[in-house]
């Protein structure tokens, strides 16, 4: 019921508002809903400059957003390399959209470098055996070999 009343009285209620104010209403927007220079209270040149600035700001935001996405893709690719996981074509595409060569963020690059140094230190055989005297090991190994030969000569009749 309210719908019928609104449709029947809607247009006449709008006209009633116009008649009460003396019929002077400013049209702030075009009939298609776009802003105009008059709706912003600017001259045409100011409005065009304003629109140009809006477009430039949007382009800058889009570029910064794409750059961040490419940096994240680089991080993901690095992690996949580190843990030997399959690469994603989506990450490659995001990096290519920005121009190809995307560096890791500075703080993340430091963390990666530290991790690699730690892994190298842990994987090193000499790092696993601290205070290892190579010369002493050689002398001991040679002594063991000569003793094994002597014992073998004593027990074996052919040698």
């Amino acid at each position: 019921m309210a719908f019928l009343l609104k449709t029947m009285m809607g247009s006449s209620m709008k006209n009633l508002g116009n008649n009460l104010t003396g019929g002077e209403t400013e049209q702030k927007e075009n009939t298609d809903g776009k802003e105009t220079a008059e709706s912003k209270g600017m001259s045409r040149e100011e409005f065009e400059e304003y629109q140009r600035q809006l477009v430039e700001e949007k382009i800058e935001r889009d570029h910064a957003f794409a750059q961040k996405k490419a940096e994240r893709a680089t991080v993901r690719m690095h992690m996949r390399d580190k843990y030997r996981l399959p690469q994603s074509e989506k990450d490659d595409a995001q990096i290519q959209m920005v121009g190809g060569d995307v560096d890791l963020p500075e703080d993340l690059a430091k963390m990666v470098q530290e991790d690699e140094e730690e892994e190298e230190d842990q994987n090193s055989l000499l790092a696993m055996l601290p205070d290892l005297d190579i010369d002493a090991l050689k002398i001991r190994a040679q002594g063991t070999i000569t003793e094994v030969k002597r014992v073998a000569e004593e027990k074996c009749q052919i040698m």
Side-chain angles (χ1 to χ4, degrees):
M1 186 72 171
F3 175 72
L4 284 174
L5 184 61
K6 185 176 181 181
T7 55
M8 292 174 53
M9 301 296 288
S11 61
S12 59
M13 294 300 280
K14 288 180 186 176
N15 291 336
L16 178 64
N18 290 340
N19 292 335
L20 290 177
T21 59
E24 296 179 21
T25 58
E26 288 187 34
Q27 189 172 4
K28 297 265 183 188
E29 296 181 357
N30 286 342
T31 56
D32 58 358
K34 292 186 179 179
E35 294 180 339
T36 62
E38 294 82 26
S39 70
K40 288 290 192 179
M42 302 179 195
S43 69
R44 184 175 188 89
E45 292 81 24
E46 290 174 336
F47 186 70
E48 288 173 359
E49 178 68 21
Y50 172 73
Q51 291 294 328
R52 187 182 57 78
Q53 287 175 350
L54 287 177
V55 169
E56 287 176 359
E57 289 174 1
K58 183 182 183 314
I59 290 170
E60 289 175 14
R61 284 192 313 269
D62 290 345
H63 179 70
F65 182 70
Q67 184 71 28
K68 288 290 186 185
K69 283 178 75 173
E71 287 176 358
R72 291 184 201 114
T74 303
V75 170
R76 286 192 299 270
M77 288 180 69
H78 173 75
M79 297 303 273
R80 287 186 178 113
D81 286 341
K82 181 177 180 179
Y83 296 109
R84 296 179 184 95
L85 299 172
Q87 294 296 328
S88 171
E89 293 177 14
K90 182 180 176 184
D91 291 339
D92 291 332
Q94 287 178 344
I95 292 172
Q96 293 301 321
M97 285 176 62
V98 173
D101 190 29
V102 177
D103 295 329
L104 287 174
E106 196 172 306
D107 53 345
L108 185 62
K110 287 180 185 177
M111 289 173 48
V112 168
Q113 182 66 27
E114 291 171 0
D115 286 346
E116 288 175 355
E117 289 173 359
E118 285 181 15
E119 286 181 11
E120 288 175 4
D121 291 343
Q122 290 175 355
N123 291 339
S124 171
L125 179 63
L126 296 178
M128 289 180 184
L129 303 172
D131 302 327
L132 183 66
D133 188 13
I134 304 265
D135 293 330
L137 283 176
K138 282 183 184 178
I139 293 170
R140 188 170 177 188
Q142 287 175 349
T144 305
I145 290 174
T146 52
E147 187 173 333
V148 168
K149 282 184 182 179
R150 185 185 57 80
V151 169
E153 287 176 355
E154 287 178 5
K155 290 187 176 183
C156 183
Q157 304 274 335
I158 297 175
M159 293 180 100

